[in-house]
Amino acid sequence: MSYARRGFGAADVMVFEDKIDLMKSAALPLFKALKENKRPVFGFSTGATFEPFYRYVAENYLKEGCTFKRALSFNLDEYVGLRPTDVDSYHHYMKKNLFSKIDIQSGNTFLPNGTARSPDSEAVRYEKLIEASGGIEIQYLGVGVNGHIGFNEPGTRFTAKTHVARLARSTKEVNSAHLNGPWVPEMAITMGISTILSARRIILIATGESKCKIIKSIADSGVTARIPATALKRHRNVTIMLDSAAAGAL
Ligand code: GLP
């Protein structure tokens, strides 16, 4: 593991040769919070990046002497129009990759409801729910190849809270390769950048060669709405964890 600090503001940037070592390091603060806090609140992300992370957490939390019984989780986003049982929904992803494998209480796991009659009201309800929990202690984040975090696409205002977002064309193209259903969702309910920045700690994970260009752009750019992930430079407690492929252009 090595450090590459330049370009990321106050963030710690850690580069790992080995992906399992990365997942292990990313899980450490989660295990610590589970052991030390009465009611830990986590912000979770989806995507291919997080599959090995959740596998690592599920396989190791008991060995670490942890329980999720008192934990709450809030996911970043959900597609508008997909039911929790739809295989392409993020509800389904979380159940399959994490919630069914750990002892978290299902009533303590929250994602936006993609089939709410009014997605706008659902976004407001979801934001209030996060606030009422006392706020997110550790927010795990991935990054899109266009720099989106959650579904905050380029151009999104940094002041946005949880809201309904239209997916960028490039996001739909990338996502369609992972979707099983007959149609590619156009909209999602996503935590806003302001919601994300109100987490007390943020851990962003990026792996693979497909992320190396955007990681370099984030490092080289000032804070700009054209690259939503640059908003993280405004947060004081960010760790960016990269494998050597994602860090390849730094
Ligand atoms: C999706 C999600 C993001 C995720 C990103 C990267 O569009 N909304 O939260 O971080 O894409 O996904 P992946 O890890 O599959 O590259």
Side-chain angles (χ1 to χ4, degrees), residues 106-125:
S106 61
N108 288 344
T109 64
F110 301 95
L111 292 95
N113 174 5
T115 52
R117 191 170 301 175
S118 162
D120 287 319
S121 312
E122 171 60 9
V124 173
R125 184 193 71 87

mmCIF file of all heavy atoms in Angstrom, residues 106-125:
data_model
loop_
_atom_site.group_PDB
_atom_site.id
_atom_site.type_symbol
_atom_site.label_atom_id
_atom_site.label_comp_id
_atom_site.label_asym_id
_atom_site.label_seq_id
_atom_site.Cartn_x
_atom_site.Cartn_y
_atom_site.Cartn_z
ATOM 1 N N SER A 106 -33.888 -6.139 9.156
ATOM 2 C CA SER A 106 -34.333 -5.599 7.865
ATOM 3 C C SER A 106 -35.018 -4.237 8.041
ATOM 4 O O SER A 106 -34.929 -3.382 7.164
ATOM 5 C CB SER A 106 -35.223 -6.587 7.129
ATOM 6 O OG SER A 106 -36.354 -6.838 7.904
ATOM 7 N N GLY A 107 -35.645 -4.027 9.218
ATOM 8 C CA GLY A 107 -36.287 -2.730 9.465
ATOM 9 C C GLY A 107 -35.293 -1.595 9.649
ATOM 10 O O GLY A 107 -35.672 -0.426 9.700
ATOM 11 N N ASN A 108 -34.017 -1.936 9.765
ATOM 12 C CA ASN A 108 -32.986 -0.914 9.948
ATOM 13 C C ASN A 108 -32.215 -0.615 8.669
ATOM 14 O O ASN A 108 -31.202 0.079 8.689
ATOM 15 C CB ASN A 108 -31.989 -1.345 11.027
ATOM 16 C CG ASN A 108 -32.598 -1.271 12.409
ATOM 17 O OD1 ASN A 108 -33.636 -0.634 12.590
ATOM 18 N ND2 ASN A 108 -31.975 -1.924 13.365
ATOM 19 N N THR A 109 -32.667 -1.193 7.552
ATOM 20 C CA THR A 109 -31.989 -0.952 6.269
ATOM 21 C C THR A 109 -32.897 -0.089 5.401
ATOM 22 O O THR A 109 -34.060 -0.415 5.192
ATOM 23 C CB THR A 109 -31.683 -2.276 5.534
ATOM 24 O OG1 THR A 109 -32.910 -2.916 5.187
ATOM 25 C CG2 THR A 109 -30.834 -3.194 6.377
ATOM 26 N N PHE A 110 -32.356 1.011 4.923
ATOM 27 C CA PHE A 110 -33.184 1.965 4.176
ATOM 28 C C PHE A 110 -32.605 2.232 2.792
ATOM 29 O O PHE A 110 -31.401 2.399 2.634
ATOM 30 C CB PHE A 110 -33.286 3.289 4.938
ATOM 31 C CG PHE A 110 -33.877 3.125 6.312
ATOM 32 C CD1 PHE A 110 -33.044 2.978 7.421
ATOM 33 C CD2 PHE A 110 -35.252 3.081 6.491
ATOM 34 C CE1 PHE A 110 -33.580 2.805 8.694
ATOM 35 C CE2 PHE A 110 -35.797 2.911 7.760
ATOM 36 C CZ PHE A 110 -34.956 2.771 8.857
ATOM 37 N N LEU A 111 -33.499 2.237 1.822
ATOM 38 C CA LEU A 111 -33.182 2.705 0.463
ATOM 39 C C LEU A 111 -34.381 3.518 0.022
ATOM 40 O O LEU A 111 -35.503 3.277 0.482
ATOM 41 C CB LEU A 111 -33.011 1.554 -0.528
ATOM 42 C CG LEU A 111 -31.812 0.616 -0.383
ATOM 43 C CD1 LEU A 111 -32.184 -0.611 0.415
ATOM 44 C CD2 LEU A 111 -31.319 0.184 -1.771
ATOM 45 N N PRO A 112 -34.176 4.452 -0.910
ATOM 46 C CA PRO A 112 -35.352 5.163 -1.427
ATOM 47 C C PRO A 112 -36.302 4.163 -2.095
ATOM 48 O O PRO A 112 -35.856 3.164 -2.660
ATOM 49 C CB PRO A 112 -34.754 6.111 -2.479
ATOM 50 C CG PRO A 112 -33.306 6.219 -2.147
ATOM 51 C CD PRO A 112 -32.913 4.916 -1.509
ATOM 52 N N ASN A 113 -37.585 4.462 -2.005
ATOM 53 C CA ASN A 113 -38.601 3.601 -2.631
ATOM 54 C C ASN A 113 -38.784 4.032 -4.089
ATOM 55 O O ASN A 113 -39.357 5.077 -4.363
ATOM 56 C CB ASN A 113 -39.906 3.727 -1.834
ATOM 57 C CG ASN A 113 -41.055 2.981 -2.488
ATOM 58 O OD1 ASN A 113 -40.865 2.282 -3.498
ATOM 59 N ND2 ASN A 113 -42.239 3.114 -1.922
ATOM 60 N N GLY A 114 -38.294 3.190 -4.996
ATOM 61 C CA GLY A 114 -38.329 3.521 -6.418
ATOM 62 C C GLY A 114 -39.721 3.507 -7.023
ATOM 63 O O GLY A 114 -39.912 4.001 -8.135
ATOM 64 N N THR A 115 -40.676 2.932 -6.306
ATOM 65 C CA THR A 115 -42.042 2.889 -6.856
ATOM 66 C C THR A 115 -43.005 3.778 -6.070
ATOM 67 O O THR A 115 -44.231 3.620 -6.163
ATOM 68 C CB THR A 115 -42.593 1.441 -6.912
ATOM 69 O OG1 THR A 115 -42.447 0.862 -5.622
ATOM 70 C CG2 THR A 115 -41.845 0.604 -7.931
ATOM 71 N N ALA A 116 -42.463 4.713 -5.302
ATOM 72 C CA ALA A 116 -43.344 5.653 -4.581
ATOM 73 C C ALA A 116 -44.202 6.404 -5.607
ATOM 74 O O ALA A 116 -43.721 6.695 -6.710
ATOM 75 C CB ALA A 116 -42.488 6.641 -3.796
ATOM 76 N N ARG A 117 -45.454 6.697 -5.204
ATOM 77 C CA ARG A 117 -46.337 7.401 -6.148
ATOM 78 C C ARG A 117 -45.729 8.743 -6.555
ATOM 79 O O ARG A 117 -45.766 9.119 -7.709
ATOM 80 C CB ARG A 117 -47.709 7.596 -5.497
ATOM 81 C CG ARG A 117 -48.726 8.060 -6.514
ATOM 82 C CD ARG A 117 -50.125 8.026 -5.968
ATOM 83 N NE ARG A 117 -50.502 6.687 -5.541
ATOM 84 C CZ ARG A 117 -51.647 6.408 -4.942
ATOM 85 N NH1 ARG A 117 -52.506 7.374 -4.677
ATOM 86 N NH2 ARG A 117 -51.941 5.185 -4.579
ATOM 87 N N SER A 118 -45.169 9.453 -5.568
ATOM 88 C CA SER A 118 -44.491 10.710 -5.909
ATOM 89 C C SER A 118 -43.001 10.573 -5.575
ATOM 90 O O SER A 118 -42.608 10.680 -4.409
ATOM 91 C CB SER A 118 -45.092 11.875 -5.116
ATOM 92 O OG SER A 118 -44.168 12.955 -5.145
ATOM 93 N N PRO A 119 -42.146 10.346 -6.572
ATOM 94 C CA PRO A 119 -40.704 10.235 -6.295
ATOM 95 C C PRO A 119 -40.140 11.486 -5.611
ATOM 96 O O PRO A 119 -39.262 11.386 -4.755
ATOM 97 C CB PRO A 119 -40.086 10.036 -7.689
ATOM 98 C CG PRO A 119 -41.196 9.442 -8.516
ATOM 99 C CD PRO A 119 -42.462 10.071 -7.997
ATOM 100 N N ASP A 120 -40.686 12.665 -5.943
ATOM 101 C CA ASP A 120 -40.185 13.893 -5.308
ATOM 102 C C ASP A 120 -40.457 13.885 -3.805
ATOM 103 O O ASP A 120 -39.581 14.225 -3.002
ATOM 104 C CB ASP A 120 -40.839 15.136 -5.937
ATOM 105 C CG ASP A 120 -40.299 15.402 -7.332
ATOM 106 O OD1 ASP A 120 -39.079 15.265 -7.528
ATOM 107 O OD2 ASP A 120 -41.099 15.710 -8.230
ATOM 108 N N SER A 121 -41.691 13.482 -3.425
ATOM 109 C CA SER A 121 -42.001 13.427 -1.989
ATOM 110 C C SER A 121 -41.185 12.337 -1.312
ATOM 111 O O SER A 121 -40.781 12.484 -0.153
ATOM 112 C CB SER A 121 -43.488 13.112 -1.748
ATOM 113 O OG SER A 121 -44.277 13.922 -2.544
ATOM 114 N N GLU A 122 -40.949 11.256 -2.026
ATOM 115 C CA GLU A 122 -40.134 10.165 -1.469
ATOM 116 C C GLU A 122 -38.717 10.668 -1.168
ATOM 117 O O GLU A 122 -38.135 10.330 -0.138
ATOM 118 C CB GLU A 122 -40.114 8.983 -2.442
ATOM 119 C CG GLU A 122 -39.142 7.863 -2.106
ATOM 120 C CD GLU A 122 -39.387 7.189 -0.761
ATOM 121 O OE1 GLU A 122 -40.427 7.450 -0.117
ATOM 122 O OE2 GLU A 122 -38.504 6.408 -0.341
ATOM 123 N N ALA A 123 -38.191 11.490 -2.059
ATOM 124 C CA ALA A 123 -36.840 12.040 -1.857
ATOM 125 C C ALA A 123 -36.798 12.883 -0.581
ATOM 126 O O ALA A 123 -35.867 12.774 0.223
ATOM 127 C CB ALA A 123 -36.425 12.872 -3.065
ATOM 128 N N VAL A 124 -37.834 13.687 -0.379
ATOM 129 C CA VAL A 124 -37.890 14.546 0.813
ATOM 130 C C VAL A 124 -38.007 13.675 2.074
ATOM 131 O O VAL A 124 -37.314 13.898 3.074
ATOM 132 C CB VAL A 124 -39.086 15.529 0.711
ATOM 133 C CG1 VAL A 124 -39.271 16.306 2.003
ATOM 134 C CG2 VAL A 124 -38.896 16.479 -0.469
ATOM 135 N N ARG A 125 -38.863 12.648 1.982
ATOM 136 C CA ARG A 125 -39.049 11.736 3.129
ATOM 137 C C ARG A 125 -37.716 11.058 3.480
ATOM 138 O O ARG A 125 -37.333 10.967 4.638
ATOM 139 C CB ARG A 125 -40.099 10.671 2.764
ATOM 140 C CG ARG A 125 -40.455 9.726 3.908
ATOM 141 C CD ARG A 125 -41.250 8.511 3.441
ATOM 142 N NE ARG A 125 -40.458 7.560 2.675
ATOM 143 C CZ ARG A 125 -39.738 6.571 3.199
ATOM 144 N NH1 ARG A 125 -39.706 6.394 4.509
ATOM 145 N NH2 ARG A 125 -39.024 5.760 2.432
#
